[in-house]
Amino acid sequence: MIRNAEKNILLLNQARVRALEELEKILTEKEALQGEINTLEMRLAETDARIKVATQEKIHVELLEDQLEKLQNELTHRGGSQRSEVDMFEDQNDPLIKEHKNGLSSLSMELNSLRSENLSLKNDIQALKEELINVKSTDERVVTLEKERSSLESAMKDLESRMSVSQEGVSKLSTLKVEYKDLWEKVETLQVLLDKATKQADQAIIVLQQNQELRKKVDKLEESLEEVNVYKLSSEKMQQYNELMQQKIRLLEDRLQRSDEEINSYVQLYQESVKEFQDALDSLKEDSKRKAIDGSVDDMPQEFWSRLLLIIDGWLLEKKISIDDAKLLRDMVWKRDGRICEAYKVSKEKTEREAVAAFLRLTSSTTSPGLYVIHIAAEMAPVAKVGGLGDVVTGLGKALQKRGHLVEVVLPKYDCMQYDHVHDLRALDVVVESHFDGQLFKNKVWVGSVEGLPVYFIEPLHPDKFFWRGQFYGEHDDFRRFSFFSRAALELLLQAGKNPDIIHCHDWQTAFVAPLYWDLYAPKGLNSARICFTCHNFEYQGTAPASYLESCGLDAHHLNRPDRMQDNSAHDRINPVKGAVVFSNIVTTVSPTYAQEVRTAEGGRGLHSTLNSHSRKFIGVLNGIDTDAWNPATDAFLKVQYSANDIQGKGENKEAIRRKLGLSSADVRKPLVGCITRLVPQKGVHLIRHAMYRTLELGGQFILLGSSPVPHIQREFEGIANHFQNHDDIRLILKYDESLSHSIYGASDMFIIPSIFEPCGLTQMIAMRYGSIPIARKTGGLHDSVFDVDDDTIPNQFRNGFTFLNPDEQGLNGALERAFNLYLNKPEIWKQLVQKVMIMDFSWDASAAQYEELYANSVARARAANRT
Ligand code: ADP
C-alpha cells in the first residue's frame, strides 16, 4: 500500500512540474502575441490614415475627370472642321492635360497599392483575430491547468500526509510481520500436531468403534448373565412357570389334536366331494368337450356349477384363496362365466396347487384389467445396450408383461444395433412427421419384437443422420439427437391414436418427454397418460444452453425458470433431468439407498433441493435382473450349463476361460476374481486397479472386462493390459463383449464392485446368479443387495458377500482378504455360500410389483381427479 502511495506521489509531482512548464511556455507565447498585435494595430491605424488621404485624392481626381468630360462635350458642340476640344485635351503637347494625366495615373497606382496593402492588412487582422481566439482558449486552459495544479497539490498534500501515516503503519507492519512469522511457525507446528492428533483420533475412533462393538457384546453378555441370575434367584418361580407352560402345552396339544381331527374330517369330506365331482364330470366329458369347442356353457348341468362352488369354498376354508378371490370366483360361477369352466378344464389333469393358480389368474385379470405402459428409452438390452438402463427397460418390460400388462417400447433406430436380436423387423408403410428447428421432418417407423416385447424403432430422415453414427452416445450433438427423438416418439403415439395409461421415460436422453407431453401433446389430445420418469444415474443430467430447448419446440423462456427446467447451478442452462423431475407424475431411481443419497447435497449432483421439494412423488425401487437372460442353467454362452444343485459345471467354465484367455490352469483351486464394468471414475477405477495387484499378491487370478469412454483411463488400462499380456494370472480385455461377460460371470469365484457411488448396479446380482461372490463397497444399490457374511446384525439367510465402507485400498483389502480366507480355508462353507446366493431372488418380480403399484395409484388418482 505504502509503495503504491509513494508511486502515486511521484507521478503527481511529475505531472505538476509538466503542468507548470507548459503554463510558463503559454504565458511567453501570449506575451509575444500581444506584442505582435500591438504592432499590427499601429500599422493598421497608419494604413487607415493613408487610405483616408488616398480616398480624398481619388475624389479630387474624379472631379477633374468630370470637368474634363464637360470640356470635351463643349468642344464637340462648337463644331465643324475645328479640332475637338477632346482632341485638344488629348494633345500630348498640352501641359495642363499632360500634368493631369500624370497625376491621375500616379494616383490610381497609389490607390491600387493601398488597396492591396489594405487587403493584406485585413488578412493579417483576420489571422490575428483567430490567434487572439486561440490565446483566449489558451487562457482558459491556463485557468483549468491552474485549477488542476491546485487540486494536484492538495492531493499531493493529502497523499503526503497519508504516507506519513502509512510509514507509521509500515513500521507497525514490520513488527507485525515478525510476530506473524512467529505465529506461522507456531501454526505449522500446531498443524503437525493436529495431523498427528487426527490420526490418533481416527485410530481412537476405530478403537472406539471396536470398543462399542465390544461394549455391545459385553452388554449382551451382561444381559444374559442378569437373566441367568434372575433365573437362578427365582428358580421357584421358574418351576411354577414351567408347570404353567407345560399345562399350556398340554392344552395346545389337545387343541392341535382336535383341529387335526377336524381338518382330517374336512379333507376327507372334501376328497369325497372332489371324487364325486370327478365322477360326475367324467360322465359329462363328452358334453364338456363339445362346450369347449363352441364356448357355450349354458347347458352345463347345475350340478357342475354347484360342485365348482364347493371347490371354491373348500379352498377358502383351507385358506388357499382369499375371501375376495372366493367372492369373485363365486360370482363367476353364479353368472355361468365360461372362463371359469375353461379354467377348470385346463387344470383338471394338474395338481391342486396348479388348479388354484389357474383360478386365481381369473380373479387377478378380473380385478386388474391391466395397464397400458409405453417405455420411451435410448437403450434396450440386448439390441441397444450400453449399461444397466438397457437391462432395466427389457427386464421391467418383460416382468410387467408377465403380470398381464400391455407393454411397448419406443427406441431410436441406431445403425449399430444388434439387429440379430430383433424379430420380424419391418418398416411400416407410413411416415411420421415431427417438428424440429421450426421445420417438419419425416421419420420412418420400424416395428419388431425384442425378447417378446413389441418395439417401435424411429428412424429420423433428418439430414444430420442422428442415429447413423456408429455409436449410441458420445456425439457432439447428443442433446439435439435425443430431444429430436423424444418429440418424434410422442408424435408417433399421437398419430397412432394410442392412449397409454403410463408413458415411462428414462434418463436425460428421454427426459424431454415429460415437458413435451404436458406443454405440447396433452393439449393436442394425447392426454390419457401419467408420466413416470426413472433416473438411472444422477451424474448425467444433459444440461445445455437454454436456447437449445427451442429446437424440439419447447419454450425456453417459459421453462428456464428455477421452478421448472433451469439448472440449479448455471442459470443460463436448462437441465432435462430436473425438467422431468418437475413435470412427471412419478419419479423413481434405482435403489432405496441411492434415493436417500441423492437427496443430500453431497450425492444429489445439484438436484437435491429439487428432489426434496418433489419428494412426495420420488421413490427408490431396487432394479431386478432378467432371470431368463441371466440363467446359468440355460445360458448358451457358457461352455457348460449349471445350477445351484449342481455347481460342478462352474469349475468347467473356469477351466474353459483360463484356456481361452491363456491363463494358467496349474492350480484348480486358485480363486478367480472377475470384474465387468464401464471404466469410469464412478466405478472406483483406482480400486479396480489396486484389486488386480492385490489379487496377484494374494495368489489369485484376475479377469477384467471393461471399456472406458474417458480417453486417459482407457490409455492407462491399455498400458496395464500390455504389461500383463503374457502373465499367467491376469488378463484385461478392454472392450464391450456380451458373450465374454457371460463366460466371466460363469467362471469367476468372486466378483469385485468397488464403486465410489452406485445407483443400483446389476453386476453384483448377475454375479450372484452365477455363483460368483460379490466383494462390494457399501453404497447405493450395492448397500441394498450385498450383505456381508460376517455382519451378524443381518439375518443369516440374507448374507451373501463381502462389503467394505471406505473407498480406499485398506477397505478393499479387508474385504478381499476375508473372501480369499474363506475360499481357501473353508471350501465347504464357500460352496454353501455359492449355492445360497445362486437361489436368491433378484428377479424383477418384486420390483415390477412395486412399479405396478406406483403406476396403478397414479392412474387411480388421475381418474378420481377427472371424476371430481
Ligand atoms: P452401469 O449401468 O452403471 O454401467 P450396471 O451394473 O447397472 O452399471 O450395469 C452394467 C451392465 O453392463 C451389466 O449387464 C454388465 O454385464 C454390462 N457390461 C458392462 N461393461 C461391459 C462390457 N465391457 N462388456 C459386456 N458387458 C458389460
Side-chain angles (χ1 to χ4, degrees):
M1 202 178 94
I2 293 160
R3 222 172 281 151
N4 274 348
E6 280 174 350
K7 216 191 267 174
N8 284 343
I9 291 170
L10 199 67
L11 287 171
L12 282 170
N13 255 337
Q14 287 168 354
R16 196 179 62 139
V17 169
R18 271 201 306 278
L20 285 172
E21 282 169 357
E22 216 177 320
L23 187 64
E24 240 152 67
K25 224 162 83 187
I26 290 166
L27 284 173
T28 355
E29 267 175 30
K30 190 188 157 193
E31 267 166 29
L33 282 170
Q34 198 59 54
E36 253 180 84
I37 291 168
N38 291 343
T39 331
L40 283 168
E41 274 177 347
M42 270 165 62
R43 281 178 63 197
L44 190 65
E46 228 174 79
T47 319
D48 270 346
R50 286 169 70 187
I51 289 170
K52 268 182 201 156
V53 175
T55 322
Q56 275 168 1
E57 274 176 353
K58 193 184 166 199
I59 297 166
H60 181 62
V61 170
E62 278 168 1
L63 273 172
L64 284 174
E65 276 176 347
D66 280 351
Q67 274 179 354
L68 195 63
E69 207 172 50
K70 273 179 197 163
L71 280 172
Q72 271 178 340
N73 288 342
E74 250 181 71
L75 281 173
T76 323
H77 283 295
R78 274 185 210 160
S81 55
Q82 287 180 1
R83 286 189 315 170
S84 73
E85 276 181 60
V86 177
D87 288 342
M88 278 170 73
F89 265 103
E90 280 179 349
D91 191 337
Q92 296 291 320
N93 296 323
D94 187 332
L96 189 65
I97 293 171
K98 210 172 176 182
E99 195 195 329
H100 266 299
K101 270 206 168 176
N102 288 343
L104 198 65
S105 68
S106 75
L107 268 175
S108 59
M109 271 165 65
E110 208 173 332
L111 198 65
N112 285 342
S113 84
L114 278 173
R115 267 188 193 139
S116 64
E117 209 178 324
N118 207 0
L119 195 72
S120 83
L121 276 173
K122 270 186 186 162
N123 289 343
D124 282 356
I125 289 169
Q126 189 58 39
L128 278 171
K129 272 183 185 165
E130 278 163 13
E131 258 183 82
L132 212 60
I133 292 168
N134 282 346
V135 169
K136 269 186 195 159
S137 72
T138 316
D139 273 354
E140 278 163 15
R141 268 177 62 208
V142 169
V143 175
T144 342
L145 275 170
E146 269 186 318
K147 272 187 199 159
E148 269 179 36
R149 194 191 55 168
S150 64
S151 79
L152 279 172
E153 267 173 356
S154 67
M156 208 170 75
K157 269 182 204 150
D158 183 35
L159 274 171
E160 273 168 358
S161 70
R162 274 161 65 185
M163 199 170 83
S164 66
V165 176
S166 308
Q167 266 160 353
E168 280 169 27
V170 169
S171 59
K172 275 186 197 164
L173 199 68
S174 52
T175 344
L176 276 175
K177 261 187 187 170
V178 178
E179 282 175 21
Y180 172 75
K181 212 176 155 195
D182 283 357
L183 275 173
W184 183 244
E185 277 165 13
K186 281 184 191 162
V187 168
E188 276 178 342
T189 333
L190 278 173
Q191 190 66 48
V192 175
L193 287 174
L194 193 68
D195 285 349
K196 272 189 199 158
T198 317
K199 272 184 200 149
Q200 281 168 358
D202 284 346
Q203 279 165 0
I205 288 170
I206 297 169
V207 172
L208 206 68
Q209 282 170 349
Q210 286 168 352
N211 276 355
Q212 273 171 353
E213 273 165 27
L214 276 176
R215 164 105 341 254
K216 274 185 205 155
K217 285 185 185 161
V218 169
D219 284 352
K220 268 189 197 162
L221 279 174
E222 276 176 358
E223 266 173 29
S224 40
L225 214 64
E226 257 176 34
E227 268 174 32
V228 171
N229 282 342
V230 171
Y231 282 135
K232 260 191 199 163
L233 286 172
S234 57
S235 58
E236 271 182 29
K237 270 188 191 166
M238 192 66 185
Q239 219 152 10
Q240 286 171 4
Y241 179 72
N242 271 349
E243 276 168 17
L244 209 73
M245 286 304 283
Q246 267 165 3
Q247 276 177 16
K248 274 192 177 172
I249 288 170
R250 273 197 296 278
L251 270 169
L252 276 172
E253 276 174 348
D254 284 348
R255 273 172 62 185
L256 208 65
Q257 208 181 343
R258 274 206 306 280
S259 76
D260 264 351
E261 283 165 10
E262 231 173 74
I263 287 171
N264 276 340
S265 69
Y266 256 129
V267 170
Q268 228 173 355
L269 207 77
Y270 171 63
Q271 277 171 344
E272 279 167 16
S273 69
V274 169
K275 199 173 174 303
E276 260 180 60
F277 176 57
Q278 192 67 56
D279 292 343
L281 212 68
D282 282 345
S283 72
L284 290 166
K285 213 167 186 175
E286 288 310 310
D287 270 355
S288 15
K289 263 186 195 164
R290 185 176 47 79
K291 284 179 180 71
I293 293 161
D294 63 20
S296 162
V297 289
D298 285 343
D299 41 6
M300 284 295 254
Q302 189 56 41
E303 197 180 4
F304 170 82
W305 300 110
S306 310
R307 303 275 171 180
L308 261 182
L309 279 178
L310 278 174
I311 290 180
I312 292 161
D313 283 351
W315 286 342
L316 173 65
L317 287 167
E318 290 168 329
K319 301 206 181 335
K320 286 178 180 141
I321 59 173
S322 68
I323 296 176
D324 288 344
D325 286 333
K327 187 174 175 308
L328 283 165
L329 289 172
R330 266 197 234 105
D331 281 353
M332 288 173 92
V333 172
W334 180 44
K335 289 177 187 155
R336 304 287 187 263
D337 192 321
R339 283 175 302 162
I340 199 161
C341 181
E342 196 58 36
Y344 177 76
K345 274 188 285 173
V346 169
S347 55
K348 195 160 55 71
E349 309 290 332
K350 305 211 167 133
T351 64
E352 192 195 26
R353 237 174 93 188
E354 286 166 332
V356 171
F359 275 68
L360 284 182
R361 271 198 292 279
L362 293 178
T363 63
S364 70
S365 63
T366 318
T367 48
S368 143
L371 294 163
Y372 181 10
V373 183
I374 300 181
H375 289 271
I376 301 178
E379 288 183 43
M380 180 186 190
V383 287
K385 172 177 157 181
V386 174
L389 163 62
D391 289 321
V392 171
V393 172
T394 310
L396 175 61
K398 277 169 74 175
L400 288 169
Q401 196 183 44
K402 260 190 213 157
R403 299 176 77 82
H405 305 291
L406 176 59
V407 183
E408 291 171 356
V409 182
V410 186
L411 277 189
K413 186 171 179 290
Y414 300 100
D415 56 345
C416 51
M417 277 195 317
Q418 306 281 307
Y419 281 94
D420 49 337
H421 290 284
V422 188
H423 300 288
D424 304 323
L425 181 67
R426 67 191 169 90
L428 295 184
D429 189 16
V430 63
V431 281
V432 169
E433 288 190 318
S434 62
H435 271 94
F436 204 67
D437 288 335
Q439 293 177 47
L440 272 178
F441 290 96
K442 290 188 167 57
N443 295 281
K444 201 165 173 180
V445 181
W446 298 70
V447 288
S449 75
V450 175
E451 298 277 310
L453 287 164
V455 184
Y456 293 84
F457 299 94
I458 293 183
E459 180 188 356
L461 303 178
H462 186 283
D464 288 348
K465 296 199 171 303
F466 285 134
F467 300 109
W468 286 84
R469 307 289 181 85
Q471 62 174 1
F472 300 109
Y473 309 129
E475 293 289 298
H476 70 282
D477 56 350
D478 276 357
F479 189 96
R480 281 171 62 73
R481 297 165 73 217
F482 290 103
S483 56
F484 180 99
F485 167 68
S486 299
R487 173 127 197 202
L490 286 174
E491 197 63 50
L492 169 70
L493 306 192
L494 177 73
Q495 292 186 23
K498 291 183 179 286
N499 51 0
D501 297 303
I502 297 289
I503 295 176
H504 194 150
C505 48
H506 301 261
D507 278 354
W508 77 262
Q509 288 87 353
T510 55
F512 305 98
V513 164
L516 277 170
Y517 179 82
W518 293 113
D519 278 4
L520 300 180
Y521 284 88
K524 286 186 187 183
L526 177 67
N527 56 6
S528 58
R530 304 274 92 193
I531 305 294
C532 177
F533 171 67
T534 298
C535 184
H536 299 253
N537 191 337
F538 280 93
E539 171 115 315
Y540 308 103
Q541 299 178 10
T543 65
S547 59
Y548 282 26
L549 212 49
E550 302 279 352
S551 290
C552 68
L554 285 170
D555 181 344
H557 180 67
H558 162 78
L559 292 169
N560 188 25
R561 284 179 27 174
D563 58 342
R564 294 183 184 162
M565 287 185 83
Q566 187 177 79
D567 187 57
N568 289 343
S569 37
H571 295 171
D572 53 343
R573 295 175 77 81
I574 48 92
N575 183 327
V577 169
K578 179 175 166 182
V581 170
V582 172
F583 285 97
S584 297
N585 304 99
I586 309 163
V587 180
T588 72
T589 190
V590 289
S591 71
T593 298
Y594 187 57
Q596 288 303 318
E597 288 169 356
V598 292
R599 285 175 61 177
T600 65
E602 302 78 52
R605 298 287 189 272
L607 281 185
H608 59 285
S609 55
T610 310
L611 291 168
N612 281 319
S613 46
H614 291 272
S615 62
R616 286 186 58 189
K617 61 182 180 189
F618 178 54
I619 187 170
V621 181
L622 190 71
N623 284 339
I625 55 169
D626 183 345
T627 44
D628 297 333
W630 297 109
N631 183 359
T634 56
D635 193 331
F637 289 117
L638 297 185
K639 177 95 172 67
V640 182
Q641 281 79 39
Y642 61 97
S643 66
N645 297 330
D646 175 14
I647 58 168
Q648 209 190 326
K650 189 159 176 64
E652 292 176 44
N653 284 305
K654 183 169 167 180
E655 179 49 29
I657 205 164
R658 280 169 156 174
R659 255 186 280 117
K660 179 176 169 156
L661 299 178
L663 295 177
S664 161
S665 301
D667 180 0
V668 190
R669 283 287 300 153
K670 208 171 224 195
L672 176 61
V673 182
C675 179
I676 301 172
T677 184
R678 288 183 298 122
L679 290 166
V680 288
Q682 173 206 333
K683 301 290 179 181
V685 276
H686 64 294
L687 293 178
I688 294 174
R689 193 183 47 216
H690 174 75
M692 297 191 296
Y693 291 101
R694 190 76 193 118
T695 300
L696 294 183
E697 284 167 9
L698 291 172
Q701 292 185 315
F702 200 101
I703 301 177
L704 168 73
L705 172 61
S707 57
S708 183
V710 186
H712 78 90
I713 299 181
Q714 180 76 11
R715 272 198 304 278
E716 186 194 340
F717 277 79
E718 275 165 6
I720 305 174
N722 288 340
H723 177 69
F724 285 126
Q725 62 182 334
N726 296 317
H727 199 284
D728 275 350
D729 295 318
I730 180 165
R731 209 55 83 236
L732 278 71
I733 304 102
L734 301 178
K735 61 174 179 177
Y736 186 92
D737 188 332
E738 186 73 26
S739 103
L740 187 58
S741 78
H742 285 246
S743 309
I744 297 172
Y745 286 121
S748 53
D749 299 298
M750 300 164 199
F751 198 89
I752 198 123
I753 319 111
S755 303
I756 305 303
F757 73 94
E758 191 58 75
C760 175
L762 298 177
T763 56
Q764 75 280 14
M765 302 187 205
I766 304 172
M768 283 191 260
R769 179 104 169 118
Y770 283 72
S772 182
I773 306 300
I775 298 165
R777 179 160 175 259
K778 266 170 166 306
T779 178
L782 295 170
H783 186 255
D784 295 330
S785 56
V786 184
F787 306 102
D788 200 291
V789 292
D790 294 325
D791 185 349
D792 48 19
T793 62
I794 289 175
N796 195 31
Q797 73 263 32
F798 298 125
R799 298 187 214 165
N800 54 11
F802 296 86
T803 61
F804 60 100
L805 187 58
N806 294 336
D808 54 26
E809 295 178 359
Q810 287 87 329
L812 182 120
N813 286 349
L816 190 64
E817 283 158 22
R818 281 189 295 123
F820 266 65
N821 217 359
L822 190 71
Y823 178 89
L824 294 170
N825 300 326
K826 298 194 173 148
E828 257 318 301
I829 297 184
W830 184 270
K831 187 179 166 199
Q832 284 164 16
L833 181 62
V834 168
Q835 290 174 316
K836 174 166 127 182
V837 300
M838 283 183 77
I839 53 169
M840 283 186 166
D841 183 10
F842 290 111
S843 73
W844 268 101
D845 287 351
S847 318
Q850 243 177 306
Y851 270 106
E852 185 181 74
E853 196 181 331
L854 288 171
Y855 292 162
N857 287 345
S858 183
V859 169
R861 271 198 302 274
R863 285 185 188 151
N866 280 346
R867 275 197 295 273
T868 53

